[in-house]
Amino acid sequence: MKNNLILSRISLLFYVLSSIIFINKTDACTNYLVTKGASVDGSTMISYAADSHVRYGELYFRQGGKWEAGTMINIRDRGTNKYLGMIPQAAETYTVIGFMNQFQVSIGESTYGGRPELTDTTGMMDYGSLMFIALDRSKTAREAIKIIAELVEKYGYYSSGESFSIADKDEVWIMEIIGKGTEFEIDKKSGEKINKNKGASWVALRIPDGYVSAHANHARITTFPLENNSTSISSKNLSQINNPNVECVYSFDVIDFAKKKGYYSGSNEDFSFSDIYAPMDFSAARFCEIRVWSMFKEITSGMDKYIDYVEGLNLKNRMPLYVKPDRKLSVADLIRFKRDHLEGTKFDMTKDFGAMPYGLPYRWRPLTWKYNGKTYFNERATATQQTGFSFIAQMRSFYPDPIGGILWFSVDDAASTVYVPIYCGSTGVPKSYAEGNGDMLTYSADAAFWVFNKVANYAYSHYDLMIKDIQKEQSKLETKHFSLSKEMDQEATDLYKTDPTRAIENITKFSQANADFTVRSWEKLFQFLLVKYIDGNIKQEDGKRGFKRNANGFPASPTNVDYPDEWKQVIIEKTGDKFLMPEKK
């Protein structure tokens, strides 16, 4: 398929020169956070995209239950699978599907890195383990924040800077965290060398109802209310986190530690978590904040005033952490935002020369590149080819928990995938999305990840043509999922009143059947695209999902795909008259 991308030696040369590199992070993810008052139906929503060159797209499932005293769990770094240690299991854990548990608590993340010297190599809790353990043990977003805070305090924080989206059926929070680095001392009791900076600096803020937030690989919390405000508490008072008046929680020494390290010397009231622990630079604005801006501009007016900021030209002109949308948002809206390539803006990735002849809104890595001693870059949009999986988590307080939570889940590139509804009360996952059905180095013909990758990677060769066929099928399937899930919502809710067991069986069968049907449909789409566009030709369709034949049963002659004039012009500029046809005499 790679050969299909390269249609001539000239296109290969120019495409290599227009390639870019990815930021030096394993994961680069985009999250949206929507409160009840900002959604069309009163649900809370968060989104997450696991963008990584090594992350396989699959749907995790962990069965909850009671655990014997002394049970231990292994902690492994999510980015490398490195073993970090063991901690005691909780007496009881809850069932988790993907990143939503049975009580509709959901978590997403994006890595922002921050000051590199603050990574603690002695810590045990990496960002992935914090997410999974919090989901295993929490019934609310507030409980999840408390669990994360207690885990890093007790065991140390291993990862670099992270932003978490944490939500339940009533509230949506953003939590940003970073380690404290490594500074050894000898423990007086044991005589062992220990890190006296164990723990983390962090802040968690509740997004006000009626507002929408987002984060995309850069810390976004700036100033925050301090503990003398009745709505804010420090980690020394975590027992008060369930007080509904509390809207901000932070590590007790988040400011003092920054002052001790020499990062900050101003007043506590003016302290900005993001500016101090993850100083803004060109890359953070142009590769990260631009994705937040691109979503915000779709939901609220006045975002043009931040264009110089996301261009990386005016780093002081920072966007707000959250905005009030001009209209209320739906799951379909968030899915559409996930498919953004900065279309319709001055940064539109389908328009510059790197898009090749066929409007391809992708640039293979690395993200920055050198030529004649200078460094260049290309845009980093929300939709990207290296997405392992993404989801929209929808939490609804007006349904019983097993039915109220729907994880709209997808694998691979969000622009060319289909989001399928998975109820959080499901007792298992679809086979096509299940763990163990293939991996990043093992092809499986019936694995959703590989089926969606086949379609996406083939489409990259003639993107402007094939994406139209993809979007047609995408729309048909997602429209069907929205309609059927509404029917299942009511049917399952009615049944749940008299027979909860059967209701849960039904939502499980529904989730699995729809997902597996979607994968089979996408395999058929791949076969259709392969036949229609093979060898750079376009077959004539017969209107019945097949192709025309002539009167003798032979394939009708295909049409050819011509290069656009801009592409021809560049070839002529680079090659002169080399390919000029001689005039007939």
Short mmCIF file of all heavy atoms in Angstrom, two decimals, residues 418 420-423 430 432-433 477 480-481 484-485 488 508-521:
data_model
loop_
_atom_site.label_atom_id
_atom_site.label_comp_id
_atom_site.label_asym_id
_atom_site.label_seq_id
_atom_site.Cartn_x
_atom_site.Cartn_y
_atom_site.Cartn_z
N VAL A 418 -15.30 4.54 12.93
CA VAL A 418 -16.70 4.61 13.34
C VAL A 418 -16.76 4.42 14.85
O VAL A 418 -16.15 3.50 15.39
CB VAL A 418 -17.55 3.52 12.65
CG1 VAL A 418 -18.98 3.52 13.18
CG2 VAL A 418 -17.55 3.72 11.13
N VAL A 420 -18.65 3.28 18.10
CA VAL A 420 -19.71 2.32 18.43
C VAL A 420 -20.10 2.48 19.90
O VAL A 420 -19.26 2.77 20.75
CB VAL A 420 -19.27 0.87 18.16
CG1 VAL A 420 -18.95 0.67 16.68
CG2 VAL A 420 -18.06 0.48 19.00
N PRO A 421 -21.38 2.30 20.23
CA PRO A 421 -21.83 2.47 21.62
C PRO A 421 -21.60 1.21 22.45
O PRO A 421 -22.05 0.12 22.09
CB PRO A 421 -23.32 2.75 21.47
CG PRO A 421 -23.71 2.05 20.20
CD PRO A 421 -22.51 2.10 19.30
N ILE A 422 -20.89 1.37 23.57
CA ILE A 422 -20.63 0.27 24.50
C ILE A 422 -21.19 0.70 25.86
O ILE A 422 -20.66 1.62 26.49
CB ILE A 422 -19.13 -0.04 24.63
CG1 ILE A 422 -18.49 -0.29 23.25
CG2 ILE A 422 -18.91 -1.21 25.56
CD1 ILE A 422 -18.94 -1.56 22.56
N TYR A 423 -22.23 0.03 26.33
CA TYR A 423 -22.80 0.38 27.63
C TYR A 423 -21.85 -0.02 28.76
O TYR A 423 -21.25 -1.10 28.73
CB TYR A 423 -24.15 -0.31 27.81
CG TYR A 423 -25.28 0.35 27.06
CD1 TYR A 423 -25.61 -0.05 25.77
CD2 TYR A 423 -26.02 1.38 27.64
CE1 TYR A 423 -26.65 0.55 25.07
CE2 TYR A 423 -27.06 1.99 26.95
CZ TYR A 423 -27.37 1.57 25.66
OH TYR A 423 -28.39 2.19 24.97
N PRO A 430 -16.94 -6.86 22.71
CA PRO A 430 -17.03 -7.53 21.40
C PRO A 430 -15.71 -8.22 21.06
O PRO A 430 -14.62 -7.68 21.35
CB PRO A 430 -17.30 -6.38 20.43
CG PRO A 430 -17.77 -5.25 21.28
CD PRO A 430 -17.13 -5.41 22.61
N SER A 432 -14.22 -8.56 18.29
CA SER A 432 -13.40 -7.82 17.33
C SER A 432 -12.60 -6.70 18.00
O SER A 432 -11.61 -6.22 17.44
CB SER A 432 -14.28 -7.24 16.22
OG SER A 432 -15.35 -6.49 16.76
N TYR A 433 -13.01 -6.28 19.20
CA TYR A 433 -12.32 -5.21 19.92
C TYR A 433 -11.58 -5.72 21.15
O TYR A 433 -10.93 -4.94 21.85
CB TYR A 433 -13.31 -4.13 20.37
CG TYR A 433 -13.91 -3.32 19.25
CD1 TYR A 433 -14.97 -3.80 18.49
CD2 TYR A 433 -13.42 -2.06 18.94
CE1 TYR A 433 -15.53 -3.05 17.46
CE2 TYR A 433 -13.96 -1.30 17.91
CZ TYR A 433 -15.02 -1.81 17.17
OH TYR A 433 -15.57 -1.07 16.16
N LEU A 477 -23.54 4.29 9.41
CA LEU A 477 -23.39 3.43 10.58
C LEU A 477 -23.59 4.20 11.88
O LEU A 477 -24.29 3.73 12.79
CB LEU A 477 -22.02 2.77 10.57
CG LEU A 477 -21.83 1.65 9.54
CD1 LEU A 477 -20.35 1.28 9.43
CD2 LEU A 477 -22.66 0.43 9.91
N LYS A 480 -27.18 5.04 12.49
CA LYS A 480 -27.85 3.83 12.96
C LYS A 480 -27.57 3.59 14.44
O LYS A 480 -28.49 3.28 15.22
CB LYS A 480 -27.38 2.62 12.14
CG LYS A 480 -27.94 1.29 12.61
CD LYS A 480 -27.32 0.14 11.83
CE LYS A 480 -27.78 -1.20 12.40
NZ LYS A 480 -27.14 -2.35 11.74
N HIS A 481 -26.32 3.76 14.86
CA HIS A 481 -25.96 3.53 16.26
C HIS A 481 -26.69 4.51 17.18
O HIS A 481 -27.15 4.14 18.27
CB HIS A 481 -24.45 3.66 16.46
CG HIS A 481 -23.66 2.61 15.77
ND1 HIS A 481 -24.15 1.35 15.54
CD2 HIS A 481 -22.40 2.61 15.26
CE1 HIS A 481 -23.23 0.62 14.92
NE2 HIS A 481 -22.16 1.37 14.74
N LEU A 484 -30.46 3.35 17.30
CA LEU A 484 -30.68 2.11 18.02
C LEU A 484 -30.37 2.24 19.51
O LEU A 484 -31.03 1.62 20.35
CB LEU A 484 -29.84 0.99 17.42
CG LEU A 484 -30.24 0.52 16.01
CD1 LEU A 484 -29.29 -0.58 15.52
CD2 LEU A 484 -31.68 0.02 15.99
N SER A 485 -29.36 3.04 19.84
CA SER A 485 -29.02 3.20 21.26
C SER A 485 -30.14 3.92 22.01
O SER A 485 -30.41 3.63 23.19
CB SER A 485 -27.69 3.93 21.43
OG SER A 485 -27.77 5.25 20.94
N MET A 488 -32.61 1.30 22.74
CA MET A 488 -32.12 0.41 23.79
C MET A 488 -32.14 1.09 25.15
O MET A 488 -32.42 0.45 26.17
CB MET A 488 -30.71 -0.06 23.44
CG MET A 488 -30.07 -0.99 24.48
SD MET A 488 -31.10 -2.42 24.94
CE MET A 488 -31.23 -3.28 23.37
N THR A 508 -25.53 -5.82 26.95
CA THR A 508 -24.27 -6.47 26.58
C THR A 508 -24.36 -7.01 25.16
O THR A 508 -23.46 -6.78 24.33
CB THR A 508 -23.93 -7.61 27.55
OG1 THR A 508 -23.82 -7.09 28.88
CG2 THR A 508 -22.63 -8.28 27.17
N LYS A 509 -25.44 -7.73 24.86
CA LYS A 509 -25.62 -8.28 23.51
C LYS A 509 -25.71 -7.16 22.48
O LYS A 509 -25.15 -7.26 21.38
CB LYS A 509 -26.89 -9.14 23.47
CG LYS A 509 -26.79 -10.44 24.24
CD LYS A 509 -28.11 -11.20 24.20
CE LYS A 509 -28.03 -12.49 25.02
NZ LYS A 509 -29.34 -13.21 25.05
N PHE A 510 -26.42 -6.10 22.85
CA PHE A 510 -26.55 -4.96 21.93
C PHE A 510 -25.18 -4.35 21.62
O PHE A 510 -24.84 -4.11 20.45
CB PHE A 510 -27.47 -3.91 22.57
CG PHE A 510 -27.53 -2.62 21.82
CD1 PHE A 510 -28.41 -2.45 20.76
CD2 PHE A 510 -26.71 -1.55 22.16
CE1 PHE A 510 -28.48 -1.25 20.06
CE2 PHE A 510 -26.77 -0.35 21.48
CZ PHE A 510 -27.66 -0.20 20.42
N SER A 511 -24.39 -4.10 22.67
CA SER A 511 -23.07 -3.48 22.49
C SER A 511 -22.18 -4.36 21.62
O SER A 511 -21.50 -3.87 20.70
CB SER A 511 -22.40 -3.25 23.85
OG SER A 511 -23.17 -2.39 24.66
N GLN A 512 -22.17 -5.65 21.89
CA GLN A 512 -21.31 -6.55 21.15
C GLN A 512 -21.76 -6.72 19.70
O GLN A 512 -20.94 -6.71 18.77
CB GLN A 512 -21.25 -7.90 21.86
CG GLN A 512 -20.59 -7.84 23.22
CD GLN A 512 -20.64 -9.16 23.97
OE1 GLN A 512 -21.37 -10.07 23.60
NE2 GLN A 512 -19.86 -9.28 25.03
N ALA A 513 -23.06 -6.87 19.50
CA ALA A 513 -23.58 -7.10 18.15
C ALA A 513 -23.34 -5.90 17.24
O ALA A 513 -22.92 -6.04 16.09
CB ALA A 513 -25.07 -7.43 18.20
N ASN A 514 -23.61 -4.70 17.75
CA ASN A 514 -23.40 -3.49 16.95
C ASN A 514 -21.94 -3.31 16.58
O ASN A 514 -21.60 -2.94 15.45
CB ASN A 514 -23.89 -2.27 17.71
CG ASN A 514 -25.32 -1.91 17.37
OD1 ASN A 514 -25.69 -1.83 16.21
ND2 ASN A 514 -26.12 -1.73 18.39
N ALA A 515 -21.05 -3.56 17.54
CA ALA A 515 -19.63 -3.37 17.29
C ALA A 515 -19.11 -4.36 16.27
O ALA A 515 -18.39 -4.00 15.33
CB ALA A 515 -18.86 -3.50 18.60
N ASP A 516 -19.46 -5.64 16.44
CA ASP A 516 -18.99 -6.66 15.49
C ASP A 516 -19.58 -6.43 14.10
O ASP A 516 -18.90 -6.63 13.09
CB ASP A 516 -19.34 -8.05 16.00
CG ASP A 516 -18.46 -8.49 17.18
OD1 ASP A 516 -17.33 -7.97 17.29
OD2 ASP A 516 -18.90 -9.33 17.97
N PHE A 517 -20.84 -5.99 14.04
CA PHE A 517 -21.46 -5.68 12.75
C PHE A 517 -20.71 -4.54 12.06
O PHE A 517 -20.49 -4.55 10.84
CB PHE A 517 -22.93 -5.30 12.95
CG PHE A 517 -23.59 -4.80 11.70
CD1 PHE A 517 -24.04 -5.68 10.73
CD2 PHE A 517 -23.75 -3.43 11.48
CE1 PHE A 517 -24.65 -5.21 9.56
CE2 PHE A 517 -24.35 -2.95 10.33
CZ PHE A 517 -24.81 -3.85 9.36
N THR A 518 -20.30 -3.56 12.83
CA THR A 518 -19.57 -2.41 12.28
C THR A 518 -18.26 -2.86 11.66
O THR A 518 -17.88 -2.40 10.57
CB THR A 518 -19.32 -1.37 13.38
OG1 THR A 518 -20.58 -0.89 13.87
CG2 THR A 518 -18.50 -0.20 12.86
N VAL A 519 -17.55 -3.74 12.33
CA VAL A 519 -16.27 -4.23 11.80
C VAL A 519 -16.48 -5.02 10.52
O VAL A 519 -15.74 -4.87 9.54
CB VAL A 519 -15.53 -5.08 12.86
CG1 VAL A 519 -14.26 -5.69 12.28
CG2 VAL A 519 -15.19 -4.22 14.08
N ARG A 520 -17.51 -5.85 10.48
CA ARG A 520 -17.80 -6.61 9.24
C ARG A 520 -18.17 -5.65 8.11
O ARG A 520 -17.75 -5.84 6.95
CB ARG A 520 -18.94 -7.60 9.49
CG ARG A 520 -18.58 -8.75 10.42
CD ARG A 520 -19.62 -9.86 10.36
NE ARG A 520 -20.94 -9.42 10.77
CZ ARG A 520 -21.39 -9.44 12.02
NH1 ARG A 520 -20.59 -9.87 13.00
NH2 ARG A 520 -22.62 -9.03 12.30
N SER A 521 -18.91 -4.62 8.43
CA SER A 521 -19.28 -3.62 7.41
C SER A 521 -18.05 -2.91 6.89
O SER A 521 -17.96 -2.59 5.69
CB SER A 521 -20.27 -2.60 8.01
OG SER A 521 -21.46 -3.22 8.44
#
